[in-house]
Amino acid sequence: MSTTSTIGSYSYHLRMWLSILLVAFVVGVIATTHLFSPWIGVIALTLGVSLFGLRQYWRGNLLLALLAAGYLLRLAIIVLNSQLGVLTQPDISVFHHERSAALAGGWLEGQFTVPLSELAPARDTSLMRTVVAYLHAPFYVLLGSWRVAGELGTAFYGTIIGYMTYIVSTQITTRRNSIFAAGAVVFWPSIVYRSVVIQREVLVALAMLMMVWISLRFTQPNQLYERAPEDDVWQITHWTKRLPMGDIVLLFVAMVVLYVMRPENLAVAGVTLVVAFTLRNRHVPWRFVVVGGLLLPILGYFALNFGDFVGGQTALTPAGLDGYAHARAHGGSTYLADLHYRSWLDILLYAPVKVVYFLFSPLPWDVNGFTNFLAGVSGWALFIATAFTGRGFTMLRDHSEKRAIIATYAVSGILAYSIIEMNAGAAFRRRIQFVPVILILAAIALSSISFHDRSATAEMDAVSPSDSENSITTAEN
């Protein structure tokens, strides 16, 4: 037997035994947690993530080390809050906890096919809340019927936002910049906070970022025309050919999650994807006819059925937008409550100030307490980051198709939310879908700033697509 075969066999058996050991460890933690104390599971989780993070740091994998550190930060906040009760828990978080715990309890009793409506018959059984329960129930199986279990589940999904930021960023810039952007996102105050309460915001953000990543990948042009380059009809007929099947599956998952979690986001996703397909087929004659055929039905359906997406019975009109916005304007965090939309011109004129409030609220003059001040820090930091996005966007001039996707997603999403939002608390939650894109552009801009070298070469290096695996390995070693 050759040396290579021996090494391969050894590696295979090592992975097999490590997998068995991991399964045994998880089963052991579940057993001891439920028999003795859930703290055993928390301690085991802390040690496991810490060792994983240290190992990745020693191996030079800064990305995974940062993600591990980000999860440990969330874990520490959750554990401290469970003892001190500093963070307020929204009613919906308590509701999600109860349903997820009921589902996990049914699984532990072997009731795998019993629907959640029977396991928790006295609680709301909307599809959104059911999906949230299924996504968090595995953490209750691991740690028991303890609210900390669900919060650690949300923390896991919130940490993955950092990884999604990284893979989106690698489509348009270097690996170094991507790690920088991912690190900023995983420790961003508003994202950290939304990652320690059991809500749907981080799940929506994950689905939107996955959609952006796939859209960026779709911009790669088709190579279909060797057979009949002059045959326009053949080209248009095969308009979507050779799309990666894995991307199609992930896109379907993302769309389902958005439909369940926040259906109005499908309009932003649809516009972004149509632009991506347009750019993918930028050499196809009459492509804009096809694009119009796709885009107009999407926008038309959304406009005529606006109430079905946001709740209500109205179409997309100034009066409908005004009614929806003011229906959400309640509580102590309301802003710009005196503004009313009487025409499309009002919507256009008010848009700039609404965008400012949506992205950066609470503004300094609206702060009325320490909690409000802490919430404002994230918005003010985002204002500073946004100041760099113009430079970062300009530096992508050699990647016009990538720049178009980023611009379509950010502008359409931020503008749409800004128009209908008049509540600083809701804005604080919903803007985390766009924070990663802003920080990616800021990372590109900051990476090119040097007091010693302001050459064009330095800027080009800052926006070149991610390096090859060989160069990455060499750099890390």
Side-chain angles (χ1 to χ4, degrees), residues 17-35 37-38 40-42 44-45 48-49 108 137-144:
W17 282 109
L18 286 175
S19 300
I20 295 173
L21 183 63
L22 177 62
V23 171
F25 174 77
V26 171
V27 172
V29 168
I30 293 174
T32 54
T33 294
H34 287 271
L35 289 175
S37 170
I40 295 175
V42 172
L45 182 63
V49 174
L108 289 171
F139 296 91
Y140 286 90
V141 171
L142 181 64
L143 298 174

Side-chain angles (χ1 to χ4, degrees), residues 216 272 275 279 393 399-409:
L216 288 168
T272 305
V275 172
L279 295 169
F393 187 76
H399 304 278
S400 58
E401 71 285 352
K402 312 286 188 180
R403 186 161 64 171
I405 294 298
I406 294 296
T408 301
Y409 170 68

Side-chain angles (χ1 to χ4, degrees), residues 261-273:
M261 297 291 175
R262 186 161 290 145
E264 61 266 32
N265 278 29
L266 290 175
V268 177
V271 171
T272 305
L273 286 167

Side-chain angles (χ1 to χ4, degrees), residues 202-262:
V202 295
L203 299 173
V204 173
L206 277 175
M208 292 296 278
L209 286 172
M210 184 179 294
M211 182 274 301
V212 173
W213 175 62
I214 294 170
S215 297
L216 288 168
R217 286 169 57 82
F218 280 176
T219 59
Q220 301 303 316
N222 281 333
Q223 303 296 326
L224 305 177
Y225 316 128
E226 298 82 2
R227 276 180 44 191
E230 72 287 348
D231 188 351
D232 297 345
V233 175
W234 185 87
Q235 292 176 359
I236 294 174
T237 303
H238 292 72
W239 203 62
T240 59
K241 192 172 173 129
R242 292 189 182 176
L243 294 177
M245 184 53 63
D247 288 1
I248 296 296
V249 172
L250 290 175
L251 179 61
F252 176 77
V253 171
M255 294 299 102
V256 170
V257 170
L258 290 177
Y259 176 77
V260 172
M261 297 291 175
R262 186 161 290 145

Side-chain angles (χ1 to χ4, degrees), residues 267-337:
V268 177
V271 171
T272 305
L273 286 167
V274 167
V275 172
F277 282 122
T278 306
L279 295 169
R280 179 182 180 87
N281 297 274
R282 49 191 171 273
H283 302 302
V284 178
W286 307 105
R287 64 188 179 281
F288 292 110
V289 175
V290 181
V291 170
L294 289 173
L295 187 57
L296 290 178
I298 292 174
L299 297 180
Y301 181 83
F302 180 75
L304 295 174
N305 299 274
F306 177 69
D308 294 339
F309 287 90
V310 300
Q313 302 297 324
T314 182
L316 184 63
T317 63
L321 288 171
D322 186 71
Y324 179 65
H326 282 271
R328 298 179 52 78
H330 54 80
S333 60
T334 299
Y335 59 78
L336 302 178

Side-chain angles (χ1 to χ4, degrees), residues 25 47 93 100 110 130-131 187 238 244 247 249 268 294 319 347 365 392 411 415 462 465:
F25 174 77
L47 290 175
S93 295
S100 301
T130 299
V131 171
F187 291 105
H238 292 72
D247 288 1
V249 172
V268 177
L294 289 173
I347 295 174
W365 50 85
V411 172
L415 189 61

Side-chain angles (χ1 to χ4, degrees), residues 176-177 387-388 391-392 395 441-455 458-459 462:
R176 174 179 174 274
N177 291 347
F388 290 96
R391 176 182 174 86
M395 290 171 60
L441 293 175
I444 293 172
L446 290 171
S447 67
S448 68
I449 295 177
S450 172
F451 293 103
H452 304 291
D453 186 0
R454 297 181 181 273
S455 65
E459 291 196 1

